[in-house]
Amino acid sequence: MITSVLRQGLRTRGNEPAVLCHTGFQGRGCVYFDWLRLGVRDRIVDLDTRPMGEPVRVRGVGGRGEAEEVGLLAVVAASLTDLRRSLTTAVHLPPAVHLVAVVADMPGHQGPLLPAPPGINEWHGLQELRLRRTGKSGWVCELFFPGGTDTASALETVLHGTGGRRRGPRPVPLGGLHGPEGALWRSGDASASGVSATGPVPLRRVTPVVDLVVRTHDGGPPPDWEDEAVPCLDLETTAAGSWERLTRSGNGHHGSGHHTWRPGEGAPPRVREADPAELVAPIDERVINPCGFARKSGGPMGDLTVHDQHAVIRDGNKVLAVIPENGTVTDLDIGRARYLRGVRVDWSGHSGPAAAVRAVASLAAAGVPTVSGPVPAWASALGHPLADLLTAAGEEALRDPLLREEHSIRLRRAALRTHGQLTRWRSLARRAGVPLPPDPLVSVVMCTRRPEMVGFALAQIARQRHVRFEVVLTLHGFSADLPEVSSAVAEFTATGARVIVHEAPADQVFGAVLNDAVDRASGPIIAKWDDDDWYGPEHLADLMLARTYSGADLVGSSTDYVYLQELDLTAWRSYHSELPSPHVAGGTILTDRSVLEEVGGFRPLPRAIDSQLLLAVRRVGGRIYRAHGLCYMLRRVAEGHTWNEDPGYFVRKSTKQWSGWRPSALMEGVPEPLGRPGGVTEYTGGHR
């Protein structure tokens, strides 16, 4: 199918040249190009070896009096990870009349290559769009623009449509790239710019097009940087840090030759040593993430090891994935390893330190339960949290589905926060002295009818970490002057957190109360909180991670844990999580304020508020994502809930049961209620 599409495109492009690009085929060339008849002006481009900062030149295109676009431009990617990386390099590709985007294979949780059109009139020149499946899980998307179109912008619309309508946060600051492997540092970002080796950075009107430049090199001394307005960082490629080169040079420490300097200071001086993690190309969290995590714990153990002089992921003698020398693990590789109970790391099976770190960190970021023996000193770029976790769990522990998932969640947290692309660029910016915008503020909206639960709920919020937050506390039908309320609010404020207290009339309908609370919030992100449930200290942080990697409009947790207060029983239900789903726990909803505005806010109803919001998001074409539920426990009592199910419902649906209050280890216990040192002695239930 792929070769047939390309052959047809070559026949219909007329006399105009063609550019055929491939990525992700690990230096073997692209088999789909083998039987094509090419003209003298046609070009085949390996995007994996194409350095940033060097435009792709095509004879007869782009010069004075010449055509501005090629007749056919194809980008054939082995996986979606590779296509996203190629988007960064695509800024150097010429415009095209006929654009073909191909992903040869994709895991089941990914959508088709269906473009999401850009703004008004930007695609008025589109004449035809074709979308076809190739094989069992590959896709071919063709776009026809008789007047030509910008290749990078059109590819970005294809990737945007595949990942959901919400683009999600982009790395900051604006990045410029030069050199080999440059695209590894800014995967999937069409706003990245290729720059020359010495600068200066091009201007858009009167401002530089980027705020920070990263130059990659293979170990040789880079030329002097000549731009006084934009700082530059020099970083070695993974090839420069290969064991072969390190051994040949007699230097056993990866990371030498990494410099940073501010312009206008003459020759670049050495500054403080960077965090070793900063020297490793980051992970593209939009494709390497826990989406598609499998809870089954009965599979075999796999190995990340060496086979036939290549790093591989292997199940016994079966090779599931071959890892390239730069350590890139693709979404396709992760999909093939999902059935494994876990993966053992053999530290001898890699081309070099940076490649090994990237491969191991990618498995961890995807939530693949990964274990190893002692981590060698040369892998310090993993970071202490991730290195410690690799040795903390044994293979036998992974047979327990709960222990396995807890280990997976800890791994993904450490890897994404250390090696994700968003984290890496913020770290590089701080090192170069580039100012950064603050992390987004999460406004936690909580409405309660029970003054006795205010201290309990605020204590849950107060211990949230790795996220900026404020609280909008709505007292539904009672005053903030009550002693238990005022003391809890005072103690919460003493922690340094901000709280806005709002008193709502007792007869105001619940949905309207929530809308008033959102109106008082100042953050761009709204998180709903229930006053009687339990939340782990990284509940909000995990949802913010899911918001980033899922591209969803609304995220929430699954209701895995339920405490049945009448029976003094904890029930665990093995729900599928880390997947798009129409249902999430109402007390865990997190969404952008703009999404609430789009759907008209909460419906002014006394009950079923959460389910109505989820339905409204789906009706406007939004995407809902269900993250793991091990940092949330629902509390059920005899009455007072709008979800009217008897305790037997939860018992029948449970996978495991324990007497008493038995949360996941990720809950890290429960804090004492603020303002109530003696704890909560009464509980009456309430609206949800």
Side-chain angles (χ1 to χ4, degrees), residues 321-370:
V322 178
I323 311 301
E325 292 187 357
N326 61 23
T328 297
V329 176
T330 70
D331 58 313
L332 195 58
D333 300 332
I334 297 298
R336 290 169 177 163
R338 282 293 185 203
Y339 75 95
L340 297 173
R341 184 169 80 251
V343 172
R344 293 177 291 245
V345 178
D346 173 7
W347 291 105
S348 65
H350 306 275
S351 59
V357 166
R358 293 196 75 226
V360 173
S362 295
L363 290 173
V368 176
T370 311

Side-chain angles (χ1 to χ4, degrees), residues 285 288 290 365 411-420 423 545 549:
E285 55 264 83
I288 303 301
L411 286 172
R412 68 185 73 157
R413 287 171 175 171
L416 290 170
R417 290 174 188 153
T418 304
H419 296 282
T423 297
L545 282 177
Y549 61 68

Side-chain angles (χ1 to χ4, degrees), residues 530 533 558-562 573 575 583-587 607-611 632 634-647 649-650 653 686-688:
D530 282 353
D533 296 334
S558 57
T559 313
D560 291 3
Y561 276 90
V562 180
R573 300 180 294 171
Y575 276 145
H583 304 294
V584 298
R607 59 181 62 221
I609 301 302
D610 304 328
S611 59
Y632 173 69
L634 176 70
R635 189 199 306 241
R636 296 294 299 183
V637 293
E639 57 185 22
H641 289 271
T642 57
W643 184 10
N644 293 318
E645 296 288 356
D646 64 88
Y649 168 84
F650 299 98
K653 294 288 185 178
H687 58 43
R688 188 164 304 279

Side-chain angles (χ1 to χ4, degrees), residues 225-298:
W225 180 246
E226 299 176 359
D227 195 314
E228 296 188 358
V230 179
C232 174
L233 295 173
D234 284 326
L235 301 168
E236 290 181 353
T237 63
T238 52
S242 68
W243 290 123
E244 181 182 359
R245 290 198 182 189
L246 291 172
T247 303
R248 187 168 60 239
S249 66
N251 179 6
H253 174 64
H254 178 67
S256 61
H258 298 267
H259 307 276
T260 180
W261 69 92
R262 296 294 305 181
E265 296 179 346
R270 281 302 295 269
V271 296
R272 65 168 178 83
E273 283 295 324
D275 182 330
E278 293 177 3
L279 310 181
V280 178
I283 296 166
D284 183 359
E285 55 264 83
R286 285 302 299 270
V287 281
I288 303 301
N289 56 53
C291 295
F293 173 76
R295 277 187 161 172
K296 296 179 180 179
S297 58

Side-chain angles (χ1 to χ4, degrees), residues 553-609:
D553 300 88
L554 183 150
V555 298
S557 301
S558 57
T559 313
D560 291 3
Y561 276 90
V562 180
Y563 176 64
L564 304 172
Q565 186 155 309
E566 294 173 85
L567 307 177
D568 190 25
L569 182 75
T570 298
W572 176 66
R573 300 180 294 171
S574 185
Y575 276 145
H576 290 294
S577 60
E578 300 299 344
L579 79 173
S581 171
H583 304 294
V584 298
T588 68
I589 287 173
L590 182 142
T591 189
D592 289 22
R593 177 192 291 272
S594 60
V595 174
L596 287 174
E597 293 172 351
E598 218 175 310
V599 302
F602 293 96
R603 288 189 65 187
L605 299 171
R607 59 181 62 221
I609 301 302

Side-chain angles (χ1 to χ4, degrees), residues 496-682:
R498 181 171 182 254
V499 59
I500 302 103
V501 180
H502 164 54
E503 297 178 10
D507 59 352
Q508 187 177 14
V509 70
F510 184 36
V513 172
L514 285 174
N515 286 329
D516 286 349
V518 171
D519 184 58
R520 287 165 170 77
S522 56
I525 300 167
I526 306 297
K528 188 170 175 291
W529 199 279
D530 282 353
D531 63 353
D532 53 345
D533 296 334
W534 288 275
Y535 298 81
E538 299 199 26
H539 165 75
L540 288 177
D542 285 347
L543 290 182
M544 288 295 286
L545 282 177
R547 173 181 175 269
T548 295
Y549 61 68
S550 70
D553 300 88
L554 183 150
V555 298
S557 301
S558 57
T559 313
D560 291 3
Y561 276 90
V562 180
Y563 176 64
L564 304 172
Q565 186 155 309
E566 294 173 85
L567 307 177
D568 190 25
L569 182 75
T570 298
W572 176 66
R573 300 180 294 171
S574 185
Y575 276 145
H576 290 294
S577 60
E578 300 299 344
L579 79 173
S581 171
H583 304 294
V584 298
T588 68
I589 287 173
L590 182 142
T591 189
D592 289 22
R593 177 192 291 272
S594 60
V595 174
L596 287 174
E597 293 172 351
E598 218 175 310
V599 302
F602 293 96
R603 288 189 65 187
L605 299 171
R607 59 181 62 221
I609 301 302
D610 304 328
S611 59
Q612 287 298 307
L613 175 61
L614 298 176
L615 181 60
V617 170
R618 293 174 62 201
R619 280 176 173 164
V620 300
R623 189 182 186 205
I624 299 170
Y625 185 83
R626 188 163 73 200
H628 76 85
L630 301 194
C631 270
Y632 173 69
M633 180 182 281
L634 176 70
R635 189 199 306 241
R636 296 294 299 183
V637 293
E639 57 185 22
H641 289 271
T642 57
W643 184 10
N644 293 318
E645 296 288 356
D646 64 88
Y649 168 84
F650 299 98
V651 173
R652 291 191 300 272
K653 294 288 185 178
S654 66
T655 303
K656 286 186 177 181
Q657 302 169 22
W658 301 273
S659 295
W661 186 77
R662 198 282 193 187
S664 160
L666 300 182
M667 292 285 289
E668 301 183 22
V670 62
E672 290 291 335
L674 291 171
R676 292 290 303 278
V680 175
T681 57
E682 297 181 10

Side-chain angles (χ1 to χ4, degrees), residues 153-168:
S153 298
L155 282 175
E156 186 180 31
T157 67
V158 173
L159 285 165
H160 179 201
T162 303
R165 67 173 192 162
R166 181 177 169 274
R167 293 184 183 274

